[in-house]
Amino acid sequence: SRELVRLHTHRTAEGMAGFVRRMDDTESLRLEDIADLRAYCYVVAGIVGEMLTELFLLHDEFDTADAAFLRARARCFGEGLQLVNILKDSASDREEGRTYLPPGVDREVVFDLARGDLSQAAAYVQALQDADAPRGVVEFCALPVLLAFATLERVEEEGAGAKLTRPEVFSITQAMTTTLDAGDALFPALREEREEA
């Protein structure tokens, strides 16, 4: 575990150093295009998804197919969550001199990218649940994905800065708990998709 954390922390630090070197005299970071945005999200969140996946695989029994499935989606898991945060916080980031949304890129392109990554994250969570991962691991991964889907929808409807209310967060958490208590799939369509494959 220690070696995995060290390795991935080192990768993140190296990646962030590259972005810090690009900052101008005002100490602001500006991402240039979609490829740049994806690279940034990978460094700050995709690597975390990869690290967590390796830790889950190290400590729990997964068959080879499940391990490969999780590894293939680990990056998108982290990146999707980061993209939602960037979209949600874009107005306040801009006020503070950070430009994570590349200029000239339609916001809908970033929303589509976030939706695609969150779909992969949902498949990741469903694979954990279907592989009988420990409940705490499933909950730890599922709740941020469920909240991210709801937040993305809210930000798309109301604009940057929109947030879920505390009662909404509580409701989403309770629905997740009820679903897991019943042994039902968190993302039933994704379970059916994997079963048919």
Side-chain angles (χ1 to χ4, degrees):
S1 295
R2 193 174 301 132
E3 180 56 26
L4 283 171
V5 171
R6 188 203 64 75
L7 170 68
H8 289 86
T9 302
H10 180 75
R11 293 174 59 219
T12 299
E14 280 192 343
M16 281 308 299
F19 283 101
V20 169
R21 281 192 291 274
R22 292 174 36 188
M23 293 171 72
D24 61 25
D25 293 338
T26 64
E27 295 189 6
S28 65
L29 176 63
R30 178 179 301 273
L31 300 178
E32 301 300 326
D33 54 26
I34 288 293
D36 207 21
L37 174 62
R38 290 209 75 158
Y40 176 79
C41 288
Y42 175 68
V43 167
V44 299
I47 292 173
V48 174
E50 291 173 345
M51 178 187 71
L52 288 172
T53 300
E54 294 308 318
L55 290 170
F56 298 155
L57 296 173
L58 179 67
H59 294 293
D60 293 302
E61 295 294 321
F62 290 91
D63 69 33
T64 305
D66 288 329
F69 189 89
L70 293 170
R71 284 184 174 120
R73 287 153 184 82
R75 172 186 187 143
C76 290
F77 184 99
E79 289 177 8
L81 300 179
Q82 186 64 31
L83 284 167
V84 171
N85 284 338
I86 286 172
L87 286 161
K88 176 177 65 71
D89 298 335
S90 60
S92 58
D93 283 337
R94 191 172 39 255
E95 288 172 11
E96 295 173 15
R98 295 182 298 271
T99 309
Y100 298 118
L101 292 175
V105 173
D106 188 329
R107 286 175 67 88
E108 195 54 41
V109 171
V110 182
F111 276 100
D112 287 344
L113 186 60
R115 272 191 290 276
D117 282 350
L118 288 180
S119 292
Q120 293 299 311
Y124 179 102
V125 169
Q126 192 58 58
L128 284 173
Q129 185 185 15
D130 292 342
D132 294 322
R135 171 131 175 193
V137 168
V138 174
E139 289 174 329
F140 175 79
C141 293
L143 186 57
V145 173
L146 293 166
L147 293 173
F149 271 120
T151 299
L152 188 65
E153 186 177 314
R154 176 66 49 81
V155 171
E156 198 160 23
E157 289 171 1
E158 298 178 15
K163 296 179 182 179
L164 299 176
T165 64
R166 286 179 193 260
E168 287 171 326
V169 171
F170 179 78
S171 177
I172 290 167
T173 304
Q174 286 301 106
M176 177 193 73
T177 300
T178 300
T179 299
L180 290 173
D181 286 347
D184 296 334
L186 288 165
F187 301 97
L190 295 173
R191 175 179 279 173
E192 290 170 19
E193 203 173 280
R194 284 194 78 201
E195 288 172 350
E196 290 170 4

